[in-house]
Amino acid sequence: MDEKQKLNIIENLIENRFDKDNFSKFISNILNVTVRNRKESTVVWTEYKEYIESYQIFGDYEDSNNQRIYVIAVKVKDKVDPTRAKVKQREIIAKMLREYRKDGALVAFYNENDPHWRMAFVKLEYSFTAKGLEEKLTPAKRLSYIIGEGEASHTVKKQFITLIKLSDEVTLDNLEQLFQLEKVTNEFFDEYKKKYLDLKEYLESNEEFM
């Protein structure tokens, strides 16, 4: 598959309402992960039954760094906005990671009636403290994207395009980097600064503005 075809797969995923076929193609051809033929499950923890309709595990694998990863689609209730409540979404996936002893997950939150949906990354980390082994959960603030019909997709597209040349299975570190926007923000301000200085130099050298 060439780069143009891969770009089309990325665009079809992020510029439309959630679609399982688009998600599967993205997992298989961009993440290079085997798509699992697992059925949609409606078995949901009691405390989340008012929020989740069902979930489906599309990817379940161990990367080259021995990190265990899920790729999941979570269908929320029709009355729930899949682009809201990202803290609750993170808690749901964190519980799933703990229960099934996974290190991280790439997750799509959607419902079939909403043209917008959320792509999120959740990672569990552990460190030794004076109290023993302590769990650390990735912060919720910018580890997700709202995508779908009519959503601005420039940033997420720019991030996901970095995977086009990937030939091996995507690692947990690769996935985390997709949601690290500090580099993108710095590039934006560097470009903004350059344009500002160019304009300033032009105005200072033009007699009409002196």
Side-chain angles (χ1 to χ4, degrees), residues 115-126:
H116 307 125
W117 52 288
R118 184 186 295 278
M119 178 86 84
F121 172 78
V122 182
K123 177 183 176 183
L124 293 181
E125 296 177 325
Y126 299 91

Side-chain angles (χ1 to χ4, degrees), residues 44-51 88 95:
V44 179
W45 289 291
T46 302
E47 62 266 40
Y48 298 124
K49 282 187 175 181
E50 292 300 311
Y51 187 84
K88 175 177 282 191
K95 185 176 180 71

